Amino acid sequence: MDFELSAEQAMLKDSVERFIQDNYAFSQWQALAGSDLGYSANNWKTFAEMGWLMLPFAEENGGLGGSVVDVAVVTEALGAGMTLEPLMSSVLLGGKLVEYLGDEIQKEAILGAVAEGTKTLALAYGEPAARFDLSFAETRARKSEAGYVLIGRKSVVLHAASADGLIVIARTAGEADDVAGISAFLVEPDAPGLRCQDYPLVDGGRASDVFLADTPAELLGEEGTALAALQRVIDEATCAVCAEAVGAMGWVLEVTKDYTATRNQFGKAIGDNQVIQHRLVDMFTAVEEAKAITDMTVMRVAEGAENASAQVSAMKAKVGEAARFVGAQGVQLHGGIGMTDEYPIGHYFKRLMALDVMFGDTAHHLNRFAETV
Amino acid sequence: MDLQFSDEDLAFRDEVRAFLKTNLPANLLDRSDRGLHPIKEDIEAWQKSLHKKGWIAPNWPVEYGGTGWSLTQKYIYNREYFLSGAPQTIAFGLNMVGPVIYTFGTEAQKNEYLGDILASNTWWCQGYSEPGSGSDLASLRTKAERDGDDYVINGQKIWTSFAQHADMMFCLVRTNTECKPQEGISFILIDMNTPGIEVRPIIGLDQDHTLNEVFFENVRVPAQNLIGEENKGWTYAKYLLGHERNIIARVARSQYQLARLKKIARLERRGTGLLIEDNDFRRRIAKVEVDLMALEAMELRYLSQDIAGKKLMAEPSVLKIRGAEIAQAIKTLTVEALGPYGMVYEAEDQLTMRNDGPLGPDYAHGAMADHLYQRAATIYGGTNEIQRNIIAKLILR
Ligand SMILES: Cc1cc2nc3c(=O)[nH]c(=O)nc-3n(C[C@H](O)[C@H](O)[C@H](O)COP(=O)(O)OP(=O)(O)OC[C@H]3O[C@@H](n4cnc5c(N)ncnc54)[C@H](O)[C@@H]3O)c2cc1C
């Protein structure tokens, strides 16, 4: 048993932290969040050059063969900077699904470019009625002589607008809530019958609703086999999200400690009040719990533990709750300036809120974990 | 003990209900329903129609334009008002400075300001907080120096809600530095068009503009704009806080928003079923509803003590703390009800420029904006921590 980072992991962490220091001052974040693209193409090149995009792919697919533990090291460090680049959507969701599901030709055609950052992907799995249930899909695929076409609507697809390719989950058989009959498809961004409604997210991210009207699509892998791979991809991505939340919470805790130590009211630092100290201790404890359960879960998932998926839900429930608490208290202890757009703390609150929702909120995962009780 | 209202009270309730139902404009209701701030022109027009009806200032004494209602009637009116979904009337004039003027002002001041407040001809803002003086308001430093018939004001206010709309500000200024901080503060009325005043916007978490910084550089304000005596401003400011009590718990507003949450949960799909069928979610709605019931019971109990002539001490702070926490819990659940669409947020000025429909379900619009704004409910008007300090002082002797 060892919760310490290996020498390579420590180096990886350092390199991400240095990147954040150089490229993610809050003013830089603001400029990117407000830009058309929503992130920096230059930063994206750096992500590629540093090997962060290759990290999670197997060596035979042009990757570095990194584990979910390695990925968590990266996303935790990125979390402190509230980064906006599409690592999650293109690599951890889109790319990984291609790796788990695609045939050799598809992997060959796609993964190299994704790992080099020259092609970005978006994964359209959610639907308006599905909430966080991965097997619920009303979007359908119809097979004709010319191939498949898709009909339906996917919701809150991360970074769809800037993606060079979409992967869409659709049903090739069964009713909307059947577990069987789920397939994945590759869709070109300029495919006929494809319409995207693009919008910002509360945390500065970007997403779209994707409307498919007889949109031509290429089957990824084999028909009806996507659900297990999708669940695995989402479980692993949930590990990355929790690590990111831990990084963001750590930032909130540090900044709030600093602020309460320097802000004076009634002739002393507000942090001199014991009630503020206890609140900071509660925040600290929440971060410690979140960090520990995330590390433990990430290691279990990396080992391929049998009940890994339930463990992921336990982690997400705990981390989601912590994220909400730490984010909200960060704002509260800043008073008025916590409520402003021009000061970072409120944006971290919003990022943490979005991370709680992503891949299922606390309630969803607690319900899912409860099924194992 | 008796929970029933009298027949007259019930008839009064029906009258209020009927009036609101017929007269509340649909666009105003829609924005309020979603939790969005009203448009200035809309809320002014609505306040003018309440004024015409004679109901704009139930708490004011009759001689100044109040209704002469009993405490029970005021309670009923307030409750029906918020249960109708109507947005709160702008408090700065009607609930804050108005009562200060009719209580401590000169005849000239009463004549000058009260009529326009009742008629919603003037928009007021509250100039209390400063960059260095938030919770510790008494440390404020914006200076007013007497020069002939004027005070000359220099300094800065911050977090001034809706100062961009304001014609007038009621302002706390320092007139004496050689004493206990509370004893050197004066309460003065400032015309926002006076030279030397600059209002700068502060954009909020919701990306909306409600907050401002207000800078004063040699702003000359006639000495006749001083309320009461010089250096007695702290007393007037504290009096004013007492006057917010009737809206502090926001029970009826929260009940209205809880009903909206339930409506959303009944529409929101969850696979082949509906969110409302999820036992866990229903339980959490139930929890907030139970909390809200206790809050309502506390409010009623305090009302009855008030009627019986008992002096209230810690109670308003209890109501403020729980009222804010419960309002926040409802907004958090409302955003949570939206599932993945709970991550979506676009500032309103951008949103209104779209022609590709609402983002997600139509009922999602407004939920996040209100959720974000309501984070301030535990900060403004005395933070929850400060309220707890107040209660501790009062009950732990
Ligand atoms: C949306 C909004 C609207 C507002 N509108 C107005 C307005 O119209 N006019 C106006 O004058 N002001 C307005 N305010 C200002 C508001 O009254 C102040 O923000 C509030 O008094 C807190 O002051 P502060 O922001 O300086 O925080 P601080 O006083 O610096 O407090 C920071 C944190 O420290 C805590 N703290 C401070 N002292 C203690 C203590 N002794 N013990 C324990 N904890 C403590 C606080 O609870 C808070 O969590 C508004 C604020 C907001 C957010």
Side-chain angles (χ1 to χ4, degrees):
Chain A
M1 191 219 50
D2 186 2
F3 275 72
E4 296 305 308
L5 297 181
S6 70
E8 291 83 34
Q9 287 166 343
M11 268 167 58
L12 188 58
K13 177 171 181 257
D14 274 357
S15 67
V16 182
E17 284 176 350
R18 228 169 310 125
F19 165 80
I20 297 295
Q21 217 153 49
D22 295 344
N23 300 282
Y24 262 98
F26 182 58
S27 56
Q28 290 167 307
W29 182 90
Q30 283 174 304
L32 293 180
S35 68
D36 279 345
L37 184 60
Y39 65 90
S40 155
N42 257 336
N43 285 348
W44 190 239
K45 274 201 199 109
T46 309
F47 274 53
E49 285 159 15
M50 301 298 286
W52 303 336
L53 307 181
M54 281 180 195
L55 183 65
F57 297 114
E59 281 166 31
E60 69 260 28
N61 294 322
L64 298 175
S67 69
V68 282
V69 179
D70 301 321
V71 172
V73 168
V74 172
T75 58
E76 183 179 329
L78 290 174
M82 259 195 322
T83 53
L84 297 159
E85 282 69 28
L87 176 70
M88 180 63 73
S89 54
S90 185
V91 173
L92 302 180
L93 295 177
K96 288 302 281 185
L97 194 67
V98 172
E99 179 166 53
Y100 292 154
L101 206 56
D103 60 33
E104 289 311 315
I105 300 170
Q106 288 168 331
K107 286 199 263 188
E108 175 90 40
I110 298 169
L111 290 184
V114 168
E116 281 165 15
T118 50
K119 180 186 177 81
T120 58
L121 298 175
L123 176 60
Y125 67 95
E127 294 196 4
R131 283 187 86 76
F132 305 109
D133 181 355
L134 296 180
S135 64
F136 187 90
E138 293 176 312
T139 299
R140 293 189 171 274
R142 219 182 37 225
K143 198 168 178 177
S144 70
E145 267 148 51
Y148 290 92
V149 293
L150 307 182
I151 307 108
R153 170 181 184 173
K154 308 303 283 190
S155 60
V156 200
V157 182
L158 300 176
H159 284 296
S162 57
D164 304 310
L166 293 175
I167 299 173
V168 178
I169 302 298
R171 186 165 282 292
T172 37
E175 300 299 315
D177 58 343
D178 281 349
V179 170
I182 305 275
S183 303
F185 295 88
L186 300 165
V187 174
E188 295 298 325
D190 55 358
L194 176 74
R195 182 170 75 81
C196 286
Q197 183 191 32
D198 306 326
Y199 44 74
L201 299 177
V202 69
D203 66 346
R206 301 295 165 87
S208 309
D209 270 26
V210 175
F211 299 83
L212 303 142
D214 289 326
T215 308
E218 177 193 332
L219 184 66
L220 184 67
E222 283 171 39
E223 224 186 71
T225 61
L227 188 60
L230 178 65
Q231 183 67 60
R232 184 172 168 202
V233 163
I234 296 293
D235 280 350
E236 292 178 359
T238 305
C239 290
V241 155
C242 287
E244 185 180 349
V246 167
M249 281 188 268
W251 188 95
V252 169
L253 180 62
E254 283 314 306
V255 164
T256 308
K257 275 181 355 196
D258 286 350
Y259 186 74
T260 52
T262 49
R263 168 74 173 168
N264 285 319
Q265 290 291 278
F266 303 102
K268 58 181 182 182
I270 54 177
D272 288 347
N273 295 292
Q274 206 164 47
V275 70
I276 301 293
Q277 293 170 359
H278 284 193
R279 190 80 51 80
L280 287 164
V281 168
D282 289 343
M283 291 166 72
F284 170 77
T285 307
V287 178
E288 289 293 294
E289 285 185 298
K291 167 75 175 154
I293 198 169
T294 299
D295 283 359
M296 180 172 77
T297 306
V298 169
M299 289 190 275
R300 291 233 167 107
V301 169
E303 285 165 7
E306 215 176 285
N307 65 346
S309 202
Q311 169 87 38
V312 165
S313 279
M315 163 184 68
K316 189 65 170 37
K318 188 76 215 173
V319 174
E321 189 186 29
R324 295 238 167 212
F325 173 71
V326 171
Q329 291 308 320
V331 169
Q332 177 69 22
L333 295 186
H334 276 76
I337 62 163
M339 287 299 299
T340 65
D341 188 57
E342 61 197 287
Y343 200 80
I345 189 79
H347 294 278
Y348 280 81
F349 163 67
K350 294 199 262 187
R351 169 61 59 92
L352 286 167
M353 187 157 61
L355 294 179
D356 174 37
V357 176
M358 206 174 285
F359 310 136
D361 57 19
T362 302
H364 168 79
H365 282 287
L366 207 51
N367 276 335
R368 191 162 171 266
F369 186 71
E371 282 164 23
T372 70
V373 171
Chain B
M1 287 209 266
D2 181 3
L3 273 175
Q4 295 311 315
F5 289 122
S6 70
D7 286 346
E8 296 88 78
D9 287 339
L10 290 178
F12 172 73
R13 181 197 67 190
D14 293 342
E15 185 195 348
V16 172
R17 201 173 277 181
F19 173 82
L20 291 166
K21 202 169 161 135
T22 343
N23 291 285
L24 188 63
N27 57 334
L28 194 73
L29 177 59
D30 180 65
R31 288 189 67 86
S32 172
D33 188 38
R34 295 173 183 280
L36 296 167
H37 300 294
I39 311 280
K40 181 183 186 229
E41 289 70 30
D42 293 349
I43 188 75
E44 280 176 341
W46 168 236
Q47 291 188 178
K48 281 177 194 291
S49 53
L50 287 173
H51 177 50
K52 209 167 127 218
K53 178 76 182 166
W55 289 356
I56 189 65
N59 288 323
W60 289 27
V62 182
E63 49 179 315
Y64 298 119
T67 51
W69 291 335
S70 67
L71 280 176
T72 307
Q73 283 178 312
K74 286 180 199 167
Y75 171 81
I76 288 172
Y77 175 78
N78 204 44
R79 183 174 162 72
E80 289 302 319
Y81 183 85
F82 286 110
L83 286 182
S84 78
Q88 193 189 318
T89 52
I90 305 299
F92 303 113
L94 291 163
N95 296 66
M96 297 182 176
V97 76
V100 169
I101 293 174
Y102 65 64
T103 310
F104 304 105
T106 61
E107 282 313 306
Q109 286 168 340
K110 293 179 198 172
N111 292 335
E112 167 104 25
Y113 301 116
L114 293 182
D116 282 338
I117 290 174
L118 290 169
S120 297
N121 293 333
T122 42
W123 189 296
W124 287 77
C125 66
Q126 178 185 27
Y128 281 19
S129 307
E130 297 182 6
S133 308
S135 296
D136 182 13
L137 183 60
S139 68
L140 63 91
R141 294 210 308 238
T142 295
K143 205 166 49 174
E145 286 168 309
R146 189 69 188 250
D147 179 33
D149 290 338
D150 294 335
Y151 283 99
V152 181
I153 300 185
N154 282 287
Q156 184 199 341
K157 295 291 171 181
I158 196 170
W159 317 124
T160 323
S161 294
F162 302 107
Q164 75 270 31
H165 299 329
D167 308 297
M168 293 291 297
M169 171 190 276
F170 57 97
C171 189
L172 294 181
V173 290
R174 176 138 320 274
T175 38
N176 191 350
T177 49
E178 320 268 285
C179 54
K180 271 179 67 184
Q182 288 84 348
E183 288 163 10
I185 292 171
S186 297
F187 192 113
I188 197 162
L189 313 179
I190 303 176
D191 185 333
M192 292 296 282
N193 289 315
T194 318
I197 297 181
E198 192 195 343
V199 178
R200 287 190 209 151
I202 299 175
I203 303 304
L205 274 191
D206 51 6
Q207 286 165 286
D208 201 357
H209 172 202
T210 66
L211 298 170
N212 301 275
E213 291 178 287
V214 183
F215 296 87
F216 300 88
E217 203 188 326
N218 295 323
V219 176
R220 298 193 80 88
V221 178
Q224 71 208 33
N225 285 18
L226 188 76
I227 291 286
E229 286 176 53
E230 204 178 85
N231 297 326
K232 288 275 165 61
W234 191 251
T235 324
Y236 313 140
K238 277 175 78 174
Y239 168 85
L240 178 162
L241 290 181
H243 261 262
E244 285 179 83
R245 192 185 299 154
N246 65 321
I247 45 174
I248 220 166
R250 39 168 121 194
V251 170
R253 176 73 184 160
S254 282
Q255 286 171 335
Y256 183 83
Q257 294 193 308
L258 187 73
R260 178 174 164 83
L261 166 62
K262 290 182 190 171
K263 206 159 66 188
I264 290 176
R266 279 188 209 105
L267 291 168
E268 182 70 21
R269 292 172 61 197
R270 179 175 177 270
T272 51
L274 298 169
L275 180 59
I276 195 76
E277 294 155 7
D278 175 2
N279 260 329
D280 171 62
F281 200 77
R282 263 216 323 272
R283 232 178 134 262
R284 288 195 300 138
I285 292 180
K287 168 75 176 112
V288 182
E289 188 158 354
V290 170
D291 287 345
L292 189 50
M293 266 183 200
L295 185 68
E296 181 180 23
M298 276 198 289
E299 191 184 49
L300 281 168
R301 188 165 159 263
Y302 296 158
L303 172 72
S304 128
Q305 291 176 353
D306 203 9
I307 293 172
K310 278 192 209 155
K311 197 163 151 46
L312 298 180
M313 304 290 288
E315 292 82 353
S317 290
V318 173
L319 294 177
K320 164 115 195 331
I321 289 173
R322 292 303 289 146
E325 288 172 347
I326 289 167
Q328 287 180 343
I330 293 171
K331 292 330 289 191
T332 306
L333 270 183
T334 305
V335 170
E336 188 180 325
L338 305 175
Y341 283 115
M343 283 194 284
V344 177
Y345 183 62
E346 183 162 53
E348 236 203 318
D349 51 347
Q350 310 275 322
L351 193 67
T352 48
M353 277 157 46
R354 280 181 178 272
N355 51 16
D356 59 356
L359 307 180
D362 176 65
Y363 53 72
H365 176 42
M368 179 58 84
D370 199 21
H371 171 59
L372 293 172
Y373 187 75
Q374 290 303 334
R375 296 317 304 173
T378 47
I379 297 174
Y380 57 60
T383 68
N384 269 25
E385 288 76 19
I386 295 300
Q387 301 296 340
R388 286 186 167 90
N389 288 347
I390 293 172
I391 298 171
K393 271 212 190 85
L394 289 165
I395 68 166
L396 301 178
R397 279 195 278 217

